[in-house]
Amino acid sequence: MTPFPTRYRALLPLAAATVTVVLWASAFVGIRAVGHDLSPGALALGRMLVGSATLTAIVLAVHTRRGRPVPRPAPGLLGAVALWGAAWFGLYNLALNAAERHLDAGTTALLVNVAPVVVAVLAGLLLGEGFPVRLLIGMAVAFGGVALIAATTSAGGTDVAGVLLGLVAALVYAGAAVAQKRLLARIDALTVTWLGALAGTVALLPFLPALLGELATAPAGALAGTVYLGVFPTAIAFLTWGYALSRTSAGRLAAATYAVPPIVVLLSWGLLGEIPAPLALAGGALCLAGVAVATRRGRPLPTGSVGRPIPTG
C-alpha cells in the first residue's frame, strides 16, 4: 500500500498549478484596476520590484534554513536565465499591460490564450512531448470557450496596436514556457524563478523615473494593487508555475491555464460587480471541460496514434 506522504507529494504539482491559475486570473483584475493610475512600464516595474524582493526573501529563508549557500549557476547558464527572465518577466508584463490599454479584457484574454496552443506545438517539436490526441482535443474545446467569453464580454474597442501587443505577449509567454522547461532540467525552480525575476526587474529599470513620478500622485489603492500584483501573481504564482513545470509536461501545464478566463469572469463578478452574460458562463464551462480533457491522465496511446503519452517528469 502506498504511504500517505508519497501520495501527498504526487498531488503537489496539481496544487501548485491550481495556485498559479487562480493568482494569474486575479492579475487581470488587478491590472485593470491599477492600470488607470500607472502606465504600462511603471506598473510592470513596480510589480517586479515587489516580486523580486519577495522572491529574494524566500530564497534567503530557504537556504538559511537548509544551511546552504545560495546557488550560483555557471556564467553561460546564468546568461541564459537572464535572457529568459528579461523576456518572461519584463517584455511579457510590459506587452500585457500595454495591450489592456488598447483592448477590452475579453479580447485581451482571447489573444493571450493563443499561447497554450503555441506552447503545445513548440513542446511537441522541441521537447519531444509529441501531439497527444487528448491534449489537442482538450485545447480546442478550451480555446472555443475562451473565444465565447471574449465575444460576449468584448466592448468592440480594438485597434491594430492592441492586437499586436496582445500577440507579442502570447508569443513571449509560449517561448518562455518552453525555454523554462529546458532550464529546469539544470536548475531548480526556486533559483530559476528568482534569478529570472531579478533579470526582468533590471530590464524594466528605464521606467523607474515614470514609476516614481506616477506613484507620487497615485491613490493608495494603486500602491496596494501593485504590491498585491508583485507578491501574489508574480512571486508566488511564478514560483508555483516553475515547480509544476519541473514535474509535468509544458503542453499539459499550459493547457491548464485555459481555466484562467472563467476565473477572471467570476472574480470580476464578485469583486467589480460585473455581472457575466449567460454565454460567458457557458464559455467558462467549455474552458473547464477542455482543461479536464487536456490534463486528464489516461492509458498510454496505442502505437501509431498521433503523438505519445505526456511524460510526467
Side-chain angles (χ1 to χ4, degrees), residues 74-265:
L77 191 56
L78 184 60
V81 173
L83 288 174
W84 165 78
W88 193 207
F89 290 98
L91 181 57
Y92 171 77
N93 279 326
L94 184 60
L96 178 61
N97 293 348
E100 291 206 39
R101 283 289 187 98
H102 294 269
L103 304 174
D104 57 86
T107 305
T108 305
L110 174 61
L111 290 169
V112 172
N113 277 279
V114 169
V117 177
V118 181
V119 170
V121 172
L122 292 177
L125 294 174
L126 303 179
L127 300 180
E129 293 181 6
F131 300 96
V133 175
R134 187 183 300 111
L135 175 65
L136 298 179
I137 293 174
M139 294 185 80
V141 172
F143 188 77
V146 172
L148 191 56
I149 291 174
T152 55
T153 59
S154 174
T158 62
D159 58 40
V160 175
V163 170
L164 291 176
L165 287 166
L167 290 175
V168 167
L171 292 175
V172 172
Y173 166 3
V178 174
Q180 186 177 9
K181 182 66 176 176
R182 287 191 176 277
L183 291 172
L184 288 169
R186 303 180 65 182
I187 316 176
D188 65 278
L190 176 58
T191 303
V192 167
T193 305
W194 171 56
L195 293 176
L198 291 177
T201 303
V202 171
L204 291 168
L205 283 178
F207 297 101
L208 183 58
L211 175 63
L212 296 176
E214 292 171 21
L215 283 179
T217 57
L223 177 59
T226 302
V227 171
Y228 172 83
L229 288 170
V231 174
F232 296 98
T234 302
I236 294 177
F238 278 91
L239 185 55
T240 51
W241 163 272
Y243 176 85
L245 185 60
S246 68
R247 287 161 174 79
T248 189
S249 71
R252 174 179 286 165
L253 185 58
T257 64
Y258 273 122
V260 168
I263 295 174
V264 171
V265 170

Side-chain angles (χ1 to χ4, degrees), residues 51-65 190 194 231 235-236 239:
S52 295
T54 304
L55 285 167
T56 298
I58 293 173
V59 167
L60 292 176
V62 167
H63 288 281
T64 298
R65 181 178 179 182
L190 176 58
W194 171 56
V231 174
I236 294 177
L239 185 55

Side-chain angles (χ1 to χ4, degrees), residues 134 138 255 286-297:
R134 187 183 300 111
L286 271 179
C287 286
L288 297 177
V291 168
V293 172
T295 60
R296 177 176 173 270
R297 295 175 184 272

